[in-house]
């Protein structure tokens, strides 16, 4: 009901501007300060903040390492080049991710490019002061962080540039973030755990490395000897 009255008042004010000839002095109808103009454009969300606030304090936890044969997030999807975490799973803070992003944009200043972020800082980190006794809660909020598993793509880059320029930009970003990183290109083989699937297949990695107990016992047992049919001693075949 309030929105309808606002629309009617705005349209009537606009009509008066046309009839009075004062449209040049008053280009737009008067909108109250508390009213939010309608817009269909999506609100830009920051990748360094979670989409929703936490309802409870997050535990420290560990990055989810895909142990069932998953290769998700280990290849370049949208861009032409990417940077992949190489050494170990880590918890990277939002400030460190921002420093890496700024290093890439500073190196590529003046070029036409698009930078994709494949991770999000949606894990809250809570700390307590030094020389504190045990107990009395988890602590107060300090910063946001992201759990990055091993072989995970963090940044992707797309644009009209030479490969050496992209390598240099990702090298500068890796120096600003903890861990060791690897430069990858579109079309490179995915990674399962820490093994790159270029010379081996996923079926070979999923195959058990040790023989199943029944198969091991069957391999030790001697093979059965070929049996020859015994002569029949039926009464009809006996001599008279």
């Amino acid at each position: 009901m309030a929105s309808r009255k606002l629309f009617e008042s705005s349209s009537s004010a606009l009509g008066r501007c046309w009839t009075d000839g004062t449209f040049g002095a008053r280009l737009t109808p008067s909108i109250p300060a508390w009213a939010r103009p309608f817009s269909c454009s999506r609100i830009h969300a920051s990748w360094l903040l979670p989409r929703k606030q936490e309802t409870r304090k997050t535990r420290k936890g560990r990055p989810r390492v895909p142990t069932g044969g998953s290769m998700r997030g280990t290849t370049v999807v949208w861009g032409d080049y990417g940077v992949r975490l190489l050494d170990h799973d880590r918890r990277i803070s939002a400030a460190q991710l921002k420093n890496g992003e700024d290093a890439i944009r500073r190196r590529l200043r003046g070029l036409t490019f698009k930078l994709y972020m494949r991770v999000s800082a949606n894990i809250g980190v809570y700390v307590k002061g030094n020389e504190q006794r045990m107990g009395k809660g988890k602590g107060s909020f300090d910063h946001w962080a992201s759990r990055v598993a091993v072989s995970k793509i963090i940044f992707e880059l797309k644009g009209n540039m030479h490969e050496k320029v992209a390598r240099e930009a990702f090298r500068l970003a890796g120096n600003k973030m903890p861990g060791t990183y690897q430069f990858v290109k579109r079309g490179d083989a995915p990674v399962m755990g820490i093994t790159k699937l270029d010379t081996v297949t996923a079926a070979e990695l999923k195959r058990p490395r040790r023989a199943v107990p029944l198969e091991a016992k069957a391999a030790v047992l001697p093979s059965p000897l070929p049996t020859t049919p015994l002569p029949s001693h039926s009464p009809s075949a006996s001599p008279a």
Side-chain angles (χ1 to χ4, degrees), residues 19-33:
T19 56
D20 298 341
T22 60
F23 189 76
R26 190 178 183 183
L27 296 177
T28 56
S30 60
I31 300 177

Side-chain angles (χ1 to χ4, degrees), residues 1-239:
M1 192 65 182
S3 60
R4 182 177 179 181
K5 290 182 179 180
L6 176 62
F7 178 77
E8 291 176 355
S9 61
S10 302
S11 59
S12 61
L14 181 61
R16 288 195 302 269
C17 292
W18 278 107
T19 56
D20 298 341
T22 60
F23 189 76
R26 190 178 183 183
L27 296 177
T28 56
S30 60
I31 300 177
W34 53 266
R36 181 172 179 261
F38 174 76
S39 176
C40 61
S41 60
R42 187 183 64 177
I43 300 176
H44 178 71
S46 175
W47 69 289
L48 299 175
L49 295 174
R51 185 173 300 177
K52 295 182 180 180
Q53 295 294 331
E54 292 184 333
T55 57
R56 53 178 297 182
K57 295 183 179 180
T58 308
R59 296 178 180 269
K60 179 182 292 186
R62 295 293 183 271
R64 296 182 179 179
V65 180
T67 58
S70 176
M71 299 169 288
R72 184 177 178 181
T74 61
T75 56
V76 178
V77 179
W78 298 305
D80 299 327
Y81 310 103
V83 59
R84 176 192 291 162
L85 182 62
L86 186 61
D87 58 346
H88 196 270
D89 50 80
R90 294 183 181 275
R91 189 176 66 178
I92 306 177
S93 65
Q96 293 169 343
L97 293 174
K98 181 62 176 176
N99 292 338
E101 179 188 4
D102 294 342
I104 296 175
R105 296 188 183 278
R106 192 180 305 111
R107 176 61 181 84
L108 303 180
R109 183 179 301 170
L111 301 178
T112 303
F113 65 94
K114 190 168 185 180
L115 185 63
Y116 299 92
M117 282 69 73
R118 297 287 301 272
V119 298
S120 176
N122 55 359
I123 304 298
V125 179
Y126 300 84
V127 297
K128 297 175 68 173
N130 296 331
E131 304 294 335
Q132 294 289 333
R133 293 179 177 271
M134 297 178 63
K136 296 184 180 179
K138 185 177 177 63
S140 58
F141 174 80
D142 188 68
H143 62 273
W144 296 105
S146 176
R147 294 176 186 153
V148 184
V150 63
S151 304
K152 175 76 173 180
I153 298 290
I154 299 180
F155 294 109
E156 291 188 16
L157 189 61
K158 184 177 183 180
N160 188 11
M161 65 187 70
H162 198 273
E163 179 182 338
K164 292 183 179 180
V165 178
R167 284 181 179 271
E168 178 68 14
F170 285 141
R171 184 189 67 81
L172 295 175
N175 294 338
K176 298 293 184 179
M177 298 185 298
T180 307
Y181 298 90
Q182 180 186 16
F183 178 80
V184 293
K185 298 185 293 184
R186 176 187 285 271
D188 287 357
V191 180
M192 183 182 294
I194 58 175
T195 305
K196 186 179 294 186
L197 299 183
D198 50 357
T199 57
V200 297
T201 61
E204 294 178 356
L205 291 179
K206 292 181 181 180
R207 188 180 305 165
R209 298 186 179 181
R210 293 183 179 181
V212 183
L214 294 179
E215 297 179 358
K217 291 181 180 180
V220 175
L221 295 176
S223 58
L225 297 176
T227 58
T228 56
L230 298 176
S232 59
H233 299 282
S234 59
S236 59
S238 59

